[in-house]
Amino acid sequence: MKNDYMTKIHRIGRIGVFIGLCFMFGIPTVIGLVYDEMPSISDIFRVGGGLFAVFAPIAIVEFLSYTPILGSAGYISFLTGNVLNLKLPCAISAMEQAGAQQGTEKGDTISAMAVAASSMMTTAVIALGVVLLVPLQPILTLPAVKTATTYMLPAMFGALFLGMFVSSGRAGNYTVKGKNWVIVPALVIISAIHFSGLYDFSRNSGLAIFLGILIICATAPIFLKLGIIKMKPIDNNSAPIHDKVKTN
């Protein structure tokens, strides 16, 4: 059943991404052909080359760091955008509420439903915003509203970070003790590089994420060997009801 689910969901995801790419490339191509304003190949590479050089590394880092959490929901997440500030928090919150673990079939399913619901809600809000943009413009341009919006994203991620920080550390069939220590080396090294002036990570946050992943992957086994992090098997008989697997 698991392999059947994974096979189908990945097939649907690939088809959906292919259709999305056809629309992304097809619409500007059709418009260019209809109005006889197609740019030359040299212009496309000249203008797009610089953008590709800037955003390609960030895209690779985001794919490597977000996909283990999102699972098959990564297809619709990367297609619709707003991954870090919308899709990822929705997926994490939904899995937390459902008691599902990342990397499991249950977690994958919950994540996919959460991201799909988020995408539909985003589309509805955008459609409503297009209709109400002009009437609400005087309110949206108020200084108080502008100030409040600058704190929305930090507040959201602060709440998510706190929830992950104080969570029990459930990881599949194990409970991870001392899991929060693994972020300390990454935080110290990245902060030292940033504030010492060696590199300004505010210009490329994706690089900071990628470096943090490498540091955590390198230090976690060391912490585990030293006993700073401990993996304790979970007794299935004492596990929460929603985590037990019913078998016939």
Side-chain angles (χ1 to χ4, degrees), residues 8 11 30 34 52 66 75 92 103 116 129 156 163 189 197 220 234:
K8 289 182 178 179
R11 182 186 301 117
V30 171
V34 170
F52 180 82
Y66 300 158
Y75 290 109
I92 293 175
M156 179 178 63
I189 294 174
I234 296 176

Side-chain angles (χ1 to χ4, degrees), residues 1 105-106 236 239-248:
M1 180 64 68
E105 184 177 350
K106 179 179 179 180
N236 290 329
I241 298 298
H242 55 246
D243 285 343
K244 294 182 179 180
V245 179
K246 297 181 179 181
T247 57
N248 295 327

Side-chain angles (χ1 to χ4, degrees), residues 59-179:
I60 294 173
V61 169
E62 290 183 347
F63 172 78
L64 294 176
S65 56
Y66 300 158
T67 302
I69 301 175
L70 294 169
S72 60
Y75 290 109
I76 190 172
S77 298
F78 294 118
L79 185 63
T80 57
N82 291 324
V83 182
L84 183 61
N85 62 339
L86 192 59
K87 303 302 191 302
L88 191 66
C90 286
I92 293 175
S93 178
M95 286 187 284
E96 287 284 340
Q97 294 295 324
Q101 298 300 313
Q102 301 171 10
T104 63
E105 184 177 350
K106 179 179 179 180
D108 190 280
T109 306
I110 295 296
S111 174
M113 291 190 293
V115 171
S118 172
S119 299
M120 290 186 290
M121 180 59 67
T122 301
T123 303
V125 170
I126 292 175
L128 185 63
V130 170
V131 176
L132 300 177
L133 182 60
V134 174
L136 293 179
Q137 189 172 7
I139 299 176
L140 297 177
T141 54
L142 290 175
V145 176
K146 291 182 178 180
T147 302
T149 54
T150 59
Y151 293 98
M152 291 177 61
L153 193 61
M156 179 178 63
F157 278 99
L160 288 172
F161 177 78
L162 181 62
M164 297 177 65
F165 188 80
V166 301
S167 63
S168 62
R170 179 78 183 270
N173 294 324
Y174 293 88
T175 298
V176 185
K177 301 295 184 181
K179 63 182 178 63

